[in-house]
Amino acid sequence: MTSTLRLDLSTQSAQTADFPASVSINDSIDLSRHNTMALACVADTVVTLTTEAQLDTFMAKYADSAKQNKPLFVLSGGSNVLLPAQLQAVVLQPKMRGINLIAKTDSYVDIEVMAGENWHDLVVYTVNQGWYGLENLALIPGLTGAAPVQNIGAYGVQLEDCLQYVRAYHLPTKTWHHLTAADCQFGYRDSIFKRAPNTWLISCVGFRLHTNAKKILASYGDVQTVAERYAEQHGRKQAIPDDVMQAIIDIRQQKLPDPKQLANCGSFFQNPIITQDQFTTLQATYPAIVGYPMPNAMIKVAAGWLIEQAGLKGHGIAPILTHQQQALVLTNHTPYQATQEDVANAQQHIVNVVYEKFAIQLSREPVWVNSDGSIGHHEYVV
């Protein structure tokens, strides 16, 4: 079910002798290049897992090892986290690989994807196979195992729309669980995994994707216009999922910086959800305000629009600045040197300015990690 093992034991410390050689355990590891925000970070211990069996092996020995007094911290692709300068924890990195076809009918396919698969590569692969449903989530950075934690979403689609189940290891009880979509308790950028950090390690995700090339969702922003242009170029009368995916890739590349070129952790602020009455009041003063209807007479407001209208596009507190093309993204202009404190200063400045102008409180999207590996629900939460 998973790919051939790819282990790197070259820097294994003598302190890891309690563990079998099949588990890669390294001490005092620089994680500055393992988080897309490129924050300076050194972890006490990093455990790289390429099979589910390795996790069983590690956890069976962990309680009796010299490391058992250190907390566990799960780190995937590092695309949605803000790491501390010193991470005094045992970092578990799920790197299992594999995409498996489980079932196929005339109308849908069921696939199982291991946690270490690159998310964007997965989207491209499924669309090329004629398996649709993930195309609107193209070019979101990170690995598949982290996708359910945030219930990632873009252009009118959320992960939960296609997710069937998650296989995850419950760290406190050392047991494996099969969680349905309902068990995951998904919400807007939320899930049971996010609400109980460092409790679960996701090893694989099951999806059901459709095979109807005429079924697309392209009504968000300018996706439809760009997708229809691609369709026309290929002699099609209407857009298909391939066109939608390529349109979204183009739009994101134009608006969002590549973390490999300019360090960032994606959308930094959640789109705030306000009442219809509050939105109507703001609309009277700001007719161009961008909002999308939500259930229960609520409106989701574009946080990027709020930040831009507050005059903060391309600004912040150096070295952390909003991106000049997309104000929703905070960028790091001194990679591998900037720290959490730098991010906190820029974040608070942006929040304060937006609140003063619109009376809307912005909330951070990426996960704040404390030095002991715990998640900072209150540290710099806005």
Side-chain angles (χ1 to χ4, degrees), residues 222-223 226-227 230 242-252:
D222 51 357
V223 173
V226 180
Y230 271 108
D242 305 62
D243 302 318
V244 172
M245 180 183 73
Q246 192 57 57
I248 288 172
I249 290 173
D250 287 357
I251 292 168
R252 290 182 70 95

Side-chain angles (χ1 to χ4, degrees), residues 163-164 179-186:
L163 184 143
Q164 293 286 293
L179 290 86
T180 65
D183 294 332
C184 295
Q185 300 176 24
F186 289 123

Side-chain angles (χ1 to χ4, degrees), residues 3 30 48 77 123 144 156 161 179 212 216 223 231 233 333 337-338 349 360 369:
S3 61
D30 185 351
T48 303
V123 174
T144 299
D161 299 333
L179 290 86
N212 183 0
I216 64 171
V223 173
Q233 290 173 358
H333 291 260
Q337 299 177 39
H349 171 66
I360 293 178
V369 184

Side-chain angles (χ1 to χ4, degrees), residues 65 99 135 157 160 185 213 231 265 281-282 290 296 317 332 349:
S65 75
I99 302 173
E135 54 274 3
V157 172
E160 63 178 308
Q185 300 176 24
C265 55
T281 300
L282 286 168
V290 179
N296 304 315
I317 297 182
N332 177 6
H349 171 66

Side-chain angles (χ1 to χ4, degrees), residues 37-304:
M37 194 64 174
L39 296 181
C41 176
V42 175
D44 284 3
T45 304
V46 175
V47 180
T48 303
L49 303 162
T50 57
T51 70
E52 293 176 341
Q54 288 177 342
L55 180 57
D56 285 317
T57 300
F58 173 79
M59 292 302 295
K61 298 287 185 178
Y62 170 71
D64 298 325
S65 75
K67 300 180 184 300
Q68 58 83 24
N69 61 336
K70 292 183 180 180
L72 298 172
F73 173 72
V74 180
L75 178 66
S76 184
S79 62
N80 196 53
V81 295
L82 300 169
L83 297 179
Q86 187 69 38
L87 183 49
Q88 298 168 338
V90 175
V91 178
L92 302 177
Q93 287 191 305
K95 299 293 185 180
M96 306 84 164
R97 300 291 300 276
I99 302 173
N100 304 284
L101 178 62
I102 305 301
K104 184 176 183 179
T105 72
D106 290 340
S107 59
Y108 69 83
V109 296
D110 290 339
I111 63 172
E112 186 173 271
V113 184
M114 303 307 292
E117 291 292 335
N118 177 276
W119 176 259
H120 175 65
D121 290 348
L122 170 66
V123 174
V124 173
Y125 174 79
T126 57
V127 171
N128 288 341
Q129 293 293 316
W131 306 339
Y132 308 124
L134 302 180
E135 54 274 3
N136 289 48
L137 305 180
L139 218 62
I140 294 178
L143 303 182
T144 299
V149 178
Q150 286 288 116
N151 187 22
I152 60 172
Y155 300 99
V157 172
Q158 295 191 105
L159 186 77
E160 63 178 308
D161 299 333
C162 294
L163 184 143
Q164 293 286 293
Y165 64 87
V166 167
R167 186 158 70 245
Y169 188 88
H170 190 247
L171 295 169
T173 59
K174 302 181 180 65
T175 55
W176 286 98
H177 294 258
H178 178 100
L179 290 86
T180 65
D183 294 332
C184 295
Q185 300 176 24
F186 289 123
Y188 174 62
R189 302 297 181 270
D190 193 28
S191 70
I192 189 175
F193 311 111
K194 185 175 181 179
R195 293 193 295 274
N198 295 328
T199 300
W200 301 93
L201 184 148
I202 295 172
S203 68
C204 74
V205 185
F207 297 98
R208 173 162 292 182
L209 306 177
H210 69 85
T211 57
N212 183 0
K214 295 181 180 180
K215 180 181 177 182
I216 64 171
L217 177 59
S219 57
Y220 236 71
D222 51 357
V223 173
Q224 185 163 352
T225 300
V226 180
E228 288 176 349
R229 184 164 65 243
Y230 271 108
E232 183 179 355
Q233 290 173 358
H234 289 85
R236 291 188 284 267
K237 293 183 179 180
Q238 64 182 57
I240 62 174
D242 305 62
D243 302 318
V244 172
M245 180 183 73
Q246 192 57 57
I248 288 172
I249 290 173
D250 287 357
I251 292 168
R252 290 182 70 95
Q253 285 179 334
Q254 291 171 11
K255 294 182 178 180
L256 302 175
D258 182 347
K260 296 177 182 178
Q261 304 297 325
L262 180 57
N264 71 89
C265 55
S267 297
F268 193 88
F269 294 103
Q270 295 181 14
N271 291 323
I273 298 175
I274 63 177
T275 65
Q276 177 67 63
D277 289 344
Q278 185 180 3
F279 182 77
T280 301
T281 300
L282 286 168
Q283 204 171 29
T285 305
Y286 308 101
I289 188 171
V290 179
Y292 303 95
M294 297 288 286
N296 304 315
M298 303 296 283
I299 302 292
K300 181 169 65 177
V301 180

